């Protein structure tokens, strides 16, 4: 357990992400699929406190979600360890992580936590790694970690998120995230897609056609691009998630989409009143909860 926060502790927010478009391309030699995705940053965030210590080692405490590990299975633990190694730092780091982003939800919470730790520790230590080195290290830790280091609220990304084109985001949009009572692992969802493509149950990926970078800030243009290649295989195994997606669309969501690899489903609305009315529809539904948030514009 960690002591109460010291005055020297650095407090950071690690924001969730929403893949408003996710095209899954060919499988690479390393076994991972290449992707092309449009990522939007959400207001929903975990809270992280960092302290450096004289004693070596990574001391991690997690609150808010008992299912999240507090050891080397946690991406922010790995991020701290990796940065210690690459920066040649002695001593240790204490991390207090307050989980607000659901785990196994497709919202990139673990990746956001890792990015916040990388950014925070690198700053505290006087920036021993420059921007490109830090970005490269982030890409080694996880697919969505580089986005957490990017200052833009919206990017077009390729190659498991390692290549990014910052975009001007639309003005902040209300979002409702519906959380089922179970997680879905990213490896599981991508495995389902590979199985279904091999069996001919889903079409191979089509061409990724996008407008010019300046046009992404247009809300209507962004709505027309909403697609997630993982929806069909995930919904085939979890049809209740398809029902949630359809319900959000019927309740007025301009975009209703599976969050990344799942299990959460998000609705992006044009106004907060419609979002809040939709949230009321999910109140009291067994096994479901609904989180109200916004995109960061």
């Amino acid at each position: 357990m960690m002591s109460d926060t010291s005055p020297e502790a650095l407090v950071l927010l690690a924001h969730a992400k929403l893949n408003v478009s996710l095209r899954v391309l060919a499988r690479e030699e390393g076994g991972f699929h290449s992707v092309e995705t449009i990522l939007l940053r959400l207001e929903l965030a975990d809270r992280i406190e960092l302290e450096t210590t004289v004693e070596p080692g990574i001391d991690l405490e997690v609150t808010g979600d008992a299912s999240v590990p507090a050891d080397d299975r946690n991406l922010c633990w790995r991020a701290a360890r990796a940065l210690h190694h690459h920066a040649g730092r002695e001593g240790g780091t204490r991390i207090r992580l307050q989980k607000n982003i659901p785990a196994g939800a497709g919202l990139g919470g673990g990746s956001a936590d890792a990015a916040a730790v990388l950014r925070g520790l690198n700053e505290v230590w006087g920036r021993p790694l420059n921007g490109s080195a830090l970005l490269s290290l982030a890409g080694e830790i996880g697919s969505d970690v580089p986005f957490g280091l990017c200052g833009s609220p919206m990017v077009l990304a390729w190659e498991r998120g390692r290549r990014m084109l910052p975009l001007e985001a639309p003005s902040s949009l209300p979002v409702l995230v519906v959380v089922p009572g179970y997680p879905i692992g990213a490896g599981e969802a991508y495995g389902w897609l590979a199985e279904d493509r091999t069996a001919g149950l889903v079409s191979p990926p089509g061409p990724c056609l996008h407008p010019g970078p300046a046009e992404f800030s247009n809300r209507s243009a962004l709505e027309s691009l909403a697609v997630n290649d993982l929806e069909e295989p995930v919904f085939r195994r979890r049809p209740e998630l398809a029902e949630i997606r359809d319900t959000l669309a019927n309740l007025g969501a301009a975009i209703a989409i599976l969050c990344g690899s799942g299990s959460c489903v998000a609705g992006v609305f044009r106004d907060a009143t419609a979002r809040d009315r939709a949230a009321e529809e999910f109140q009291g539904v067994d096994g479901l909860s609904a989180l109200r948030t916004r995109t960061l514009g």
Side-chain angles (χ1 to χ4, degrees):
M1 298 288 292
M2 289 167 47
S3 61
D4 291 340
T5 307
S6 73
E8 295 80 21
L10 178 64
V11 178
L12 301 161
L13 292 179
H15 291 275
K17 57 83 181 174
L18 176 64
N19 299 81
V20 74
S21 173
L22 177 57
R23 307 307 307 271
V24 183
L25 309 177
R27 191 193 293 263
E28 301 170 346
E29 288 185 4
F32 293 97
H33 287 86
S34 182
V35 302
E36 179 172 300
T37 183
I38 302 170
L39 293 162
L40 279 169
R41 205 178 309 277
L42 298 179
E43 190 176 65
L44 174 66
D46 291 339
R47 185 178 186 273
I48 294 175
E49 297 172 6
L50 294 174
E51 294 180 71
T52 57
T53 64
V54 175
E55 300 82 8
I58 311 301
D59 182 7
L60 171 62
E61 177 187 348
V62 181
T63 58
D65 188 339
S67 72
V68 176
D71 52 29
D72 60 1
R73 293 170 292 169
N74 191 298
L75 286 184
C76 68
W77 191 102
R78 295 181 195 176
R81 184 61 183 159
L83 193 60
H84 270 274
H85 174 73
H86 282 77
R89 294 284 303 195
E90 298 180 354
T93 298
R94 290 188 182 131
I95 307 169
R96 175 177 287 167
L97 170 61
Q98 170 63 44
K99 286 297 298 180
N100 302 312
I101 303 170
L107 294 167
S111 296
D113 298 338
V117 169
L118 288 177
R119 184 176 66 250
L121 285 181
N122 197 57
E123 192 68 28
V124 167
W125 294 343
R127 301 180 185 176
L129 271 66
N130 63 25
S132 61
L134 200 64
L135 196 64
S136 177
L137 181 58
E140 295 175 12
I141 295 169
S143 297
D144 292 321
V145 181
F147 178 54
L149 295 178
C150 175
S152 175
M154 182 168 75
V155 302
L156 178 60
W158 304 267
E159 295 180 2
R160 299 178 59 220
R162 299 187 186 196
R163 290 177 54 219
M164 293 181 291
L165 174 66
L167 301 168
E168 182 180 352
S171 299
S172 181
L173 297 168
V175 177
L176 185 68
V177 177
V178 181
V179 187
Y182 53 83
I184 294 177
E188 190 175 23
Y190 279 91
W192 292 338
L193 176 63
E195 289 176 12
D196 288 1
R197 282 182 173 170
T198 300
L201 296 175
V202 295
S203 302
C208 302
L209 302 176
H210 296 307
E215 297 179 50
F216 280 90
S217 61
N218 181 292
R219 185 184 63 196
S220 296
L222 191 63
E223 291 169 3
S224 70
L225 295 170
V227 64
N228 185 343
D229 286 348
L230 292 171
E231 279 191 342
E232 192 172 346
V234 170
F235 290 169
R236 182 171 286 111
R237 284 125 178 124
R238 299 285 187 270
E240 66 277 11
L241 299 182
E243 294 177 10
I244 294 171
R245 190 270 314 270
D246 293 345
T247 299
L248 285 167
N250 291 334
L251 291 171
I255 297 173
I257 196 166
L258 181 73
C259 297
S261 56
S263 60
C264 286
V265 183
V268 181
F269 291 80
R270 291 172 181 161
D271 63 79
T273 301
R275 188 268 318 269
D276 293 345
R277 279 199 298 262
E280 294 173 1
E281 293 293 324
F282 289 98
Q283 287 182 355
V285 178
D286 287 344
L288 298 181
S289 59
L291 302 175
R292 306 180 200 201
T293 185
R294 303 185 66 86
T295 63
L296 296 179

